[in-house]
Amino acid sequence: SAVATDAGRGLAVIACALLAPIASATLMLVSIGAMMGQSLSTLDWVSVEAMVLSTDMGWAFIARFAMLSLASALLVTRAQRALPTAALFYGLALLTLAWSGHAAATEGIPGLLHRLNDGLHLLAAGLWMGAIGWFLHLVIAAHRNPDEIAPEPVLDAMHRFAPLGIALVTAVTATGLFNSHLIFGLGNSVQVLNTEYGLLLAAKTFLVVLMVLFAARNALIGRQSARHDINPTAATLATLRASLAGELLLAAGVLAIVAFVGLASPMG
């Protein structure tokens, strides 16, 4: 039944929320082991404590772990008013990732500026990807159960989201360019393209451009429905579902590339 399906989805969300702090702690231990040249099995508490409490990356992890744990606790309560606060905690947790990777290598005021810019980049990208997933969920639900979830309000919501979507894409682009300039200088782009880092960055940019094209297509479908008062057909919803799924798949590809970009050097 629809009630059972919604309950299953709620449990899945809670399970993922509970796993998030554990995954974050595991990744932190893996990072410490890599920096110290040790395996997880050989790490000792003294070494872990020293790395966590004496580095910016460690303090960022403490903040991230706390935010993820608080968000998980709020979601477990299933209180409606807890959702906005949990979303805020997740946003703050995402922001702490700017204190690792290339942004963490810059010192002083430029380093703080780099981290804040990177944090804004992460938040804008996170909101964009989150919106894709949410609209995909709504479109699938409207396609499968049009009597319970009317398609028209879903497409209207997508149409009204378009200005915010444009703002998020603009923020991702602007902060991404500024990040690149802070890391290697945009004037050195040609030389950087000859490195593994440059090739990965070019691949990431290509996927983001494809995401923008998919987003423009989705917005066009929503705008046509809203302006011309067209009742969406099953075929329209199926097309929109496939388009949103493709955009989300591209987003997953971007995240996968980012994981490798953070480990590569722009100097080759």
Side-chain angles (χ1 to χ4, degrees), residues 192-212:
V192 172
L193 280 175
N194 293 322
T195 66
E196 180 186 6
Y197 175 92
L199 292 174
L200 288 170
L201 190 61
K204 172 194 170 185
T205 303
F206 177 70
L207 293 185
V208 171
V209 171
L210 290 180
M211 286 180 64
V212 173

Side-chain angles (χ1 to χ4, degrees), residues 28-29 32 35-36 43-59 61-62:
M28 185 62 185
L29 291 174
I32 293 175
M35 287 186 290
M36 302 187 67
L43 279 177
D44 59 275
W45 173 250
V46 175
S47 300
V48 172
E49 184 180 23
M51 289 295 296
V52 170
L53 297 180
S54 63
T55 64
D56 290 342
M57 182 182 71
W59 285 107
F61 159 72
I62 292 174

Side-chain angles (χ1 to χ4, degrees), residues 3 5 7 17 41 45 73 84 86 96 98 102 108 117 123 140 157 174-175 181 190 192 204 211-212 220 232 235-236:
V3 174
T5 301
S41 60
W45 173 250
T96 64
H102 292 104
N117 180 77
L123 288 174
I140 291 175
T175 53
H181 181 67
V190 175
V192 172
K204 172 194 170 185
M211 286 180 64
V212 173
L220 178 61
T236 300

Side-chain angles (χ1 to χ4, degrees), residues 117 121 171-186:
N117 180 77
H121 183 76
V172 168
T173 302
T175 53
L177 287 172
F178 191 44
N179 270 343
S180 297
H181 181 67
L182 290 173
I183 293 171
F184 58 81
L186 292 178

Side-chain angles (χ1 to χ4, degrees), residues 9 128-144 149 154-155 158 161 214 218 237-251:
R9 287 173 183 154
W128 182 10
M129 293 180 184
I132 298 170
W134 178 241
F135 282 127
L136 177 60
H137 162 70
L138 291 178
V139 168
I140 291 175
H143 188 228
R144 291 179 176 176
I149 301 180
V154 174
L155 292 184
M158 291 184 65
F161 176 79
F214 271 88
N218 301 335
L237 291 175
T239 300
L240 189 56
R241 180 183 62 185
S243 183
L244 285 165
E247 189 179 358
L248 191 61
L249 184 62
L250 288 169

